[in-house]
Amino acid sequence: MAQNHQQINAKNTIEPHVLIFPLPLQGPVNCALKLAELLCLSGIRVTFLNTEHIHRPLLRHAPVLSRFSRYPNFAFETIPDGLGHQDPVTGDRFYELMDSVHSVTKPLFREMMVSGRLSRKSERPVTVMIPDGVFSFAVDIAIEASIPVVCFETISPCSLWTSYFNLPMLIEAGDVPIKGNDLDKVITCVPGMDHIIRRRDLASFCRSDGLPDPAIELISLKEAHAISRAQGLILNTFEDLDSRLYFHTCETFAQTFTL
């Protein structure tokens, strides 16, 4: 009887399967590939989801297929993004990229995760989703599909904490949007970062001419809200670099998560 019970439990156990969904720009994709490799080394099944526009040059200019061929637990998947041109997307075309992802990729991603080939109804369902933090819609879809979600931030923790989580405080203090040419003015209103950073250290969108601004609404406030709804956050850093920020703010970060 005990042996039969063990066999049933083994049959019903779902294999850990992580979906990584990076922002389709070279820097975030490179960071996400390193994270994928670390998970593969731990024996975890990983599916790496790229939009088609970034995946083509990745295969053309980087030896990713040979690099990951050693990991039988790794697989690439692609999803349309609506970008018809062949030119690489750079920072100045970020809004074009995000508009296209929201209109084309978002509904396809929802179908994929709710009822499609990576959903809980599939043969090898995703058990944890790790999207880039800017993909707030991915957090919504993970919650809808009852899939645990952990956001991955490739920007610095300092930038995330200062220009995203504390953006309302910066606006209230009059530091954002930045006016005039005094970029060396010290920021004093951000907990843990007071008297350390200057205006020039804030994210570039903080130099907007006026509020409300689509960059601030779309990129920072929505991203900060999405992160607070996730089960966790992966930061691309190390202790010696961001220890001061960590000790001053880790408790506040922890309190934002819905556990």
Side-chain angles (χ1 to χ4, degrees), residues 89-105:
V89 176
T90 53
D92 58 338
R93 304 180 74 171
F94 181 73
Y95 296 112
E96 174 191 352
L97 168 65
M98 291 303 295
D99 287 344
S100 189
V101 166
H102 273 272
S103 61
V104 176
T105 308

Side-chain angles (χ1 to χ4, degrees), residues 23-178:
L23 178 67
L25 296 172
Q26 181 178 345
V29 168
N30 286 341
C31 292
L33 284 170
K34 184 60 179 177
L35 174 62
E37 194 161 18
L38 292 173
L39 293 173
C40 287
L41 287 169
S42 298
I44 297 173
R45 176 171 295 278
V46 176
T47 295
F48 196 96
L49 181 64
N50 269 331
T51 71
E52 292 176 349
H53 190 80
I54 192 67
H55 196 63
R56 289 192 295 267
L58 180 68
L59 295 183
R60 189 180 309 121
H61 300 295
V64 290
L65 294 182
S66 59
R67 173 183 170 186
F68 283 90
S69 63
R70 73 190 74 176
Y71 305 116
N73 51 335
F74 177 89
F76 277 116
E77 286 276 354
T78 58
I79 190 169
D81 47 29
L83 295 173
H85 59 77
Q86 297 296 317
D87 298 332
V89 176
T90 53
D92 58 338
R93 304 180 74 171
F94 181 73
Y95 296 112
E96 174 191 352
L97 168 65
M98 291 303 295
D99 287 344
S100 189
V101 166
H102 273 272
S103 61
V104 176
T105 308
K106 178 181 175 179
L108 296 174
F109 181 68
R110 182 185 177 277
E111 188 279 330
M112 179 185 291
M113 301 310 305
V114 173
S115 59
R117 63 183 183 275
L118 296 178
S119 71
R120 299 179 70 180
K121 302 175 183 179
S122 64
E123 182 179 352
R124 288 179 171 171
V126 167
T127 58
V128 177
M129 189 190 300
I130 305 181
D132 190 285
V134 77
F135 286 155
S136 57
F137 68 86
V139 176
D140 296 332
I141 292 170
I143 293 173
E144 178 185 356
S146 299
I147 300 172
V149 57
V150 177
C151 289
F152 183 35
E153 284 292 348
T154 57
I155 62 174
S156 70
C158 176
S159 180
L160 179 66
W161 172 247
T162 303
S163 302
Y164 290 69
F165 274 87
N166 283 285
L167 181 62
M169 194 175 299
L170 289 167
I171 295 173
E172 184 178 351
D175 289 314
V176 172
I178 297 173

Side-chain angles (χ1 to χ4, degrees), residues 120-257:
R120 299 179 70 180
K121 302 175 183 179
S122 64
E123 182 179 352
R124 288 179 171 171
V126 167
T127 58
V128 177
M129 189 190 300
I130 305 181
D132 190 285
V134 77
F135 286 155
S136 57
F137 68 86
V139 176
D140 296 332
I141 292 170
I143 293 173
E144 178 185 356
S146 299
I147 300 172
V149 57
V150 177
C151 289
F152 183 35
E153 284 292 348
T154 57
I155 62 174
S156 70
C158 176
S159 180
L160 179 66
W161 172 247
T162 303
S163 302
Y164 290 69
F165 274 87
N166 283 285
L167 181 62
M169 194 175 299
L170 289 167
I171 295 173
E172 184 178 351
D175 289 314
V176 172
I178 297 173
K179 298 176 182 178
N181 298 320
D182 185 11
L183 298 181
D184 288 320
K185 181 182 177 182
V186 176
I187 302 295
T188 60
C189 65
V190 178
M193 302 300 292
D194 46 306
H195 302 291
I196 296 177
I197 60 172
R198 300 163 297 171
R199 282 182 170 181
R200 69 171 65 253
D201 300 317
L202 298 176
S204 59
F205 63 75
C206 293
R207 303 183 188 186
S208 169
D209 292 333
L211 294 172
D213 181 84
I216 293 175
E217 292 182 297
L218 174 65
I219 304 304
S220 58
L221 297 180
K222 287 186 68 175
E223 184 169 349
H225 178 65
I227 291 172
S228 70
R229 299 171 66 216
Q231 278 75 48
L233 174 64
I234 298 174
L235 296 169
N236 184 34
T237 188
F238 54 94
E239 184 176 354
D240 289 343
L241 180 63
D242 284 304
S243 58
R244 180 181 175 89
L245 175 67
Y246 173 80
F247 288 119
H248 280 282
T249 62
C250 64
E251 182 178 356
T252 306
F253 268 119
Q255 290 175 351
T256 65
F257 293 119

